[in-house]
Amino acid sequence: MKPLSKQLKVIFAGVAGVVVLGGGVAAIALQAEAPVVASPAPHAQVPSAISLDVQASVVRVVSDNVIYAEVKPWVAQRMVVSVCARTQTNTPRPCDYVADFTTVRQGQGVVLRNMARNTSGVLAHALPAPNMNFRPRSDKIEGPVRARVTHILDGDTVQVVAETLPGYFVTTDIRLGGLDTPEKKGRAKCASEIERNRQSTAATTQLVGGKQVTLLNIEFEKYGGRMLGDIKTPQGSDLSQTLVSRGFARPYDGGTKRGWCNLS
């Protein structure tokens, strides 16, 4: 897959019904706070996904081999893209993507297997995404989503670049769900908590810093600007559970947090 040559940034900040057209796809922004969504520069360290199996809904059937399908690239986002079956004999293929799928009807769900960007150089005109009847903050992606950790912000928060569709990248902050870690300077209650934060952040850096990980159960965090989710390390272990088992974090269920000072 060729690297993207142009950045595309879509900032969601309380804007409803904004349609962005780029590269033959249409993304609709719903009213909600959300992080920046971007296609990073070619030199960015991002996962290299040649193809993915993608759940979709058929919006329009052009022929047995060409359809428009609604896909879900990220939380509270929908895109409608044109997809050609790999068995199609017409060359070049007039679609944004190619995939393996069986004969489908409008409104039907479909799995687009081994979905990949069309490299023939001929793209179809995109359709606008249909109106979605859901509340953005109730939306969730179960995953798995492949991503690469680009920055460690804290013991429980990292920044990632995720390739959610072939050639479609999302840059966002992910806070680990169900976890409490010591606060850093400015929010810490004592010097020992600052030191524990340093240790927790170092542990997270050692486990996932700069590495390819798997994101699961991704949703909006209650504070704007980041997501909440689970992270699997390159070895397949749960990052939250690993931090807890090593004493760098505690399980957290949303109640009153215990302090990190005066601990033996």
Side-chain angles (χ1 to χ4, degrees):
M1 181 179 64
K2 296 180 180 179
L4 298 179
S5 60
K6 183 178 181 181
Q7 289 192 343
L8 170 63
K9 292 187 177 181
V10 183
I11 301 177
F12 297 86
V15 180
V18 176
V19 177
V20 178
L21 297 179
V25 295
I28 186 165
L30 301 180
Q31 187 171 359
E33 300 105 339
V36 172
V37 177
S39 293
H43 63 271
Q45 290 187 342
V46 295
S48 178
I50 296 175
S51 62
L52 296 170
D53 290 350
V54 177
Q55 295 280 348
S57 177
V58 179
V59 174
R60 179 185 297 177
V61 177
V62 179
S63 68
D64 289 343
N65 295 316
V66 180
I67 62 173
Y68 282 93
E70 178 187 320
V71 295
K72 179 179 180 179
W74 197 239
V75 179
Q77 293 182 36
R78 299 293 187 274
M79 296 169 62
V80 175
V81 297
S82 54
V83 185
C84 286
R86 280 194 173 81
T87 56
Q88 178 184 298
T89 57
N90 295 339
T91 303
R93 296 182 178 93
C95 298
D96 304 306
Y97 291 89
V98 294
D100 301 314
F101 59 88
T102 56
T103 303
V104 293
R105 294 177 297 177
Q106 184 170 322
Q108 178 182 344
V110 63
V111 179
L112 303 172
R113 301 197 181 280
N114 301 312
M115 181 176 171
R117 292 289 298 183
N118 175 26
T119 58
S120 69
V122 178
L123 300 181
H125 294 290
L127 294 179
N131 293 327
M132 278 71 75
N133 184 23
F134 69 94
R135 296 177 62 249
R137 286 202 166 271
S138 67
D139 197 32
K140 187 175 186 177
I141 293 179
E142 294 183 359
V145 174
R146 298 201 313 164
R148 184 171 295 279
V149 176
T150 55
H151 296 287
I152 305 297
L153 305 177
D154 209 342
D156 63 359
T157 307
V158 302
Q159 185 177 92
V160 302
V161 175
E163 188 169 17
T164 59
L165 293 175
Y168 186 92
F169 298 91
V170 174
T171 300
T172 188
D173 295 347
I174 300 283
R175 187 175 75 82
L176 295 170
L179 198 69
D180 176 35
T181 56
E183 298 288 356
K184 55 188 171 183
K185 187 175 182 180
R187 295 176 58 91
K189 299 290 194 303
C190 59
S192 62
E193 183 172 8
I194 295 175
E195 174 57 22
R196 289 177 184 274
N197 170 270
R198 186 194 65 77
Q199 295 172 0
S200 174
T201 302
T204 300
T205 301
Q206 187 272 325
L207 289 165
V208 298
K211 299 176 182 179
Q212 186 168 301
V213 298
T214 302
L215 309 179
L216 301 165
N217 305 314
I218 310 156
E219 59 187 327
F220 281 116
E221 209 254 358
K222 64 181 179 179
Y223 301 109
R226 63 185 181 184
M227 294 286 172
L228 191 69
D230 301 323
I231 296 178
K232 293 286 187 182
T233 69
Q235 292 73 35
S237 60
D238 183 270
L239 179 58
S240 294
Q241 293 177 3
T242 302
L243 291 173
V244 170
S245 68
R246 297 184 182 182
F248 298 114
R250 297 177 183 143
Y252 177 61
D253 60 3
T256 302
K257 293 183 178 181
R258 295 160 49 198
W260 288 94
C261 301
N262 301 320
L263 299 177
S264 58

